[in-house]
Amino acid sequence: MTVSDDTRASTVDAVVIGAGFSGLYMLHKLRDEMGLTARVFEAGGGLGGTWYWNRYPGARSDSDSYIYGFTFDEQLWREWEWSERYPEQHEIRAYLEHVAERFDLTRDITFDTRVTGATFDEAGNSWTVTTDRGEAVRARYVITAVGALSSSNLPEFPGRDSFRGETHHTGVWPHEGVDFTGKRVGVIGTGASAVQAIPLIAKEASDLTVFQRTANYIIPANNGPVPDEVRKARLGDYAGIRERIQRSYFGFELDLLEKGALESTDEEIYNELMPRWEEGGFGIWLGSYVDMFFNDEANAKVRNFLHDRIREKVEDPATAELLIPKGYPFGVKRNPLDSGYYEAFNEPHVHLVDVKSNPIAEITPTGLRLQDGTSFEFDSIVYATGFDAMTGPINKIDIRGRGGRLLREKWEAGPRTYLGLTSAGFPNLFTITGPQSPSVLSNMPVSIEQHVDLVARIIGEVRDRGASTVEPTTQAEDAWVVHNAELVKPTLFEAADSWYMGANIPGKPRVFMPNLSFVGPYRAKCDEIVTNGYEGFAFDAGKQGALT
Ligand code: NAP
């Protein structure tokens, strides 16, 4: 469906980087609602962003499908029927194809093209965006729609490339799939991707060894078809659902309990948590005790409940002990949802190896070796080792603002933004669901819609004022950075080595990257800023004019 590049404009109002949820809605907004010209560049060969690349067995969203989509268009929301409670990867891609077709978006998307750089020209108040296919496009605005989890992390184990078997990373999975039937497989990592993939790989492999550095708290997904009466009730409540998720803490229909775990008896805690455990999903995490995010004693009460559930599910007591997370609180790392993860370890051909106490020393031509000399032989190694999250995908691009300054250099000690959407010295650059916005601490489509709408309002304001640039003031940005740090300080989030903290990437600054205002209050704050005349933003007095 790609139109050949030579028919494409080399000067447009806006360049959007990425054709996942954010890029598609941004293109629709700019082009169809605001009458601007726009081009989207996408590194993949098709739509979907993270869902284009993450095709590992079991890949699906952990958000309920009825809220894992756009709500800006009621008809669009109504006409798409998901087949299960959680949408699977290929179904999400089909949904995004449907969105693109419905709004005729693909004609403005250039696929198989990675944006390598974007340089701001101060004389012309425009950006020049360059690609790995040698294109250069001028644009007034640049919007990164690159996703928070799109830059995969492949640890640099010694000998990594010497392995003679098959190697795969969950985040860059072959489109044709991988057949593990009868193979000896090693999986490195136990995050959300591994938790989804392991039960299915275990079904095919003759032998599966999982290398765990940090055990995760894992909650049942309880996936399956959605009962008809629930589906119908939801269809009758479009406006209510939209309103509730937009005002919620996390973009889900989940509310935190008023009573804390600290004020509750063990029996009360069991009675609150057990129905959530059985219901599956994020209820225990994002819809239970608020004090567990602030107080370790409260957190321990919830942890104890979860430890008991692991012991119930895993037959071998030594394996169960290894699967019980230690050394950090519950809820301060992203909670994976499972469909048979713990049960997989009850299979005789599935083994768990602790690589915290005995790290992987090297990858060998036939497998891998641990520090104590124990070695393993495999036909396939699967790296489920995650992503250089949030700042990673943005920092991969050579983004140069005023004075030729590189954004990644400005962010060397951690991201510096205003609202997680803009950065001083980088005029007309917007980072959808960027670091220091709620982003990954929410149901992403809700945050994406809010950011796209906000970008459109800000660009509309540039036009209305007859200005040519907008960027945050340094004071507004400094205050936002401090505000982010203050929000996280009283919580337990900094106590874990999570990718929220950049702790999974050697050398990355240890800074909590998402914004902890939460979805509803963050939206209200952004609305207030707009109402107050775009507080914290500086618009230049230049003439808008057309780019030539
Ligand atoms: P992840 O959560 O970062 O997990 C990576 C795993 O690899 C961790 O267990 C990590 O251990 C391990 N690891 C990394 N480097 C290692 C090394 N050098 N040696 C040994 N182990 C190493 O990555 P992910 O599972 O791909 O998930 C990332 C995020 O993507 C999720 O948190 C979620 O937000 C999103 N995601 C969502 C879904 C969904 O919606 N269903 C599915 C998949 C992913 P440590 O914990 O010790 O660092």
Side-chain angles (χ1 to χ4, degrees), residues 56 60 62 189-193 196 213-214 333-334 384-386 499:
Y56 60 84
R60 67 173 71 239
D62 284 340
T190 53
S193 303
Q196 290 186 328
R213 188 166 67 180
T214 311
K333 290 179 77 153
R334 160 66 156 79
T385 44
W499 59 255

Side-chain angles (χ1 to χ4, degrees), residues 50-51 54 56 58-63 68 149 153-157 169-171 188-196 211-216 282 328 333-337 355-356 359-360 383-387 389 440 497-500 503-504 506:
T50 197
W51 298 109
N54 283 266
Y56 60 84
R60 67 173 71 239
S61 170
D62 284 340
S63 295
Y68 198 72
L149 296 156
N153 164 43
L154 194 56
E156 300 205 352
F157 295 118
H169 190 289
T170 46
I188 303 174
T190 53
S193 303
V195 166
Q196 290 186 328
F211 297 91
Q212 172 186 278
R213 188 166 67 180
T214 311
N216 255 310
F282 289 141
Y328 70 94
K333 290 179 77 153
R334 160 66 156 79
N335 249 132
L337 301 186
V355 292
K356 173 86 105 199
I360 296 169
Y383 289 89
T385 44
F387 302 90
V440 292
D497 286 335
S498 65
W499 59 255
Y500 296 152
N504 61 328

Side-chain angles (χ1 to χ4, degrees), residues 239-255:
I241 291 170
R242 182 168 152 85
E243 151 100 11
R244 287 193 294 278
I245 58 178
Q246 289 185 347
R247 294 201 185 286
S248 67
Y249 283 113
F250 302 103
F252 298 93
E253 290 201 86
L254 292 171
D255 285 319

Side-chain angles (χ1 to χ4, degrees), residues 267-312:
E267 191 188 349
E268 283 169 337
I269 289 174
Y270 182 90
N271 290 337
E272 281 291 355
L273 296 185
M274 200 58 189
R276 288 170 174 78
W277 177 265
E278 281 166 353
E279 160 74 15
F282 289 141
I284 289 185
W285 182 30
L286 306 177
S288 72
Y289 296 106
V290 68
D291 58 349
M292 73 179 175
F293 293 109
F294 295 88
N295 181 298
D296 195 53
E297 209 183 312
N299 194 283
K301 291 185 167 220
V302 180
R303 294 203 293 270
N304 289 340
F305 171 87
L306 294 169
H307 296 171
D308 288 346
R309 303 290 79 74
I310 298 171
R311 291 189 184 104
E312 279 166 10

Side-chain angles (χ1 to χ4, degrees), residues 25 56 86 96 129 160 201 212 238 246 256 259 266 286 294 298 304 350 387 442 455 475:
Y25 182 36
Y56 60 84
Y86 303 98
L96 292 174
V129 176
R160 195 184 66 200
I201 297 177
Q212 172 186 278
Y238 162 77
Q246 289 185 347
L256 292 162
K259 189 169 176 180
D266 288 351
L286 306 177
F294 295 88
N304 289 340
V350 180
F387 302 90
S442 72
V455 170
Q475 295 92 310

Side-chain angles (χ1 to χ4, degrees), residues 197-448:
I198 281 165
L200 294 173
I201 297 177
K203 283 202 169 111
E204 292 183 354
S206 61
D207 195 84
L208 170 60
T209 307
V210 176
F211 297 91
Q212 172 186 278
R213 188 166 67 180
T214 311
N216 255 310
Y217 287 97
I218 297 157
I219 287 164
N222 196 13
N223 190 31
V226 176
D228 262 357
E229 62 277 16
V230 175
R231 203 187 278 273
K232 280 197 193 113
R234 284 174 179 162
L235 278 172
D237 191 22
Y238 162 77
I241 291 170
R242 182 168 152 85
E243 151 100 11
R244 287 193 294 278
I245 58 178
Q246 289 185 347
R247 294 201 185 286
S248 67
Y249 283 113
F250 302 103
F252 298 93
E253 290 201 86
L254 292 171
D255 285 319
L256 292 162
L257 291 166
E258 277 182 20
K259 189 169 176 180
L262 270 186
E263 300 131 38
S264 307
T265 64
D266 288 351
E267 191 188 349
E268 283 169 337
I269 289 174
Y270 182 90
N271 290 337
E272 281 291 355
L273 296 185
M274 200 58 189
R276 288 170 174 78
W277 177 265
E278 281 166 353
E279 160 74 15
F282 289 141
I284 289 185
W285 182 30
L286 306 177
S288 72
Y289 296 106
V290 68
D291 58 349
M292 73 179 175
F293 293 109
F294 295 88
N295 181 298
D296 195 53
E297 209 183 312
N299 194 283
K301 291 185 167 220
V302 180
R303 294 203 293 270
N304 289 340
F305 171 87
L306 294 169
H307 296 171
D308 288 346
R309 303 290 79 74
I310 298 171
R311 291 189 184 104
E312 279 166 10
K313 281 194 171 217
V314 181
E315 288 162 10
D316 173 43
T319 307
E321 279 316 301
L322 202 48
L323 285 167
I324 290 177
K326 289 165 196 79
Y328 70 94
F330 165 65
V332 300
K333 290 179 77 153
R334 160 66 156 79
N335 249 132
L337 301 186
D338 87 308
S339 297
Y341 177 73
Y342 287 125
E343 290 82 351
F345 292 97
N346 295 334
E347 300 285 332
H349 69 295
V350 180
H351 324 283
L352 183 67
V353 173
D354 173 25
V355 292
K356 173 86 105 199
S357 61
N358 186 15
I360 296 169
E362 63 167 342
I363 305 293
T364 65
T366 53
L368 64 79
R369 195 177 56 76
L370 304 183
Q371 214 165 60
D372 74 350
T374 314
S375 57
F376 298 83
E377 300 214 329
F378 299 118
D379 302 304
S380 301
I381 295 180
V382 174
Y383 289 89
T385 44
F387 302 90
D388 181 356
M390 304 204 77
T391 48
I394 300 171
N395 284 344
K396 254 186 167 172
I397 305 168
D398 288 333
I399 299 176
R400 289 183 186 275
R402 291 194 190 282
R405 187 169 189 201
L406 267 173
L407 186 61
R408 69 170 158 273
E409 282 179 13
K410 177 179 172 183
W411 287 6
E412 214 159 32
R416 299 194 68 79
T417 77
Y418 181 46
L419 302 177
L421 186 68
T422 55
S423 196
F426 295 81
N428 297 355
L429 173 77
F430 302 95
T431 52
I432 298 178
T433 62
Q436 297 177 342
S437 74
S439 181
V440 292
L441 281 181
S442 72
N443 176 29
M444 291 301 281
V446 179
S447 290
I448 286 168

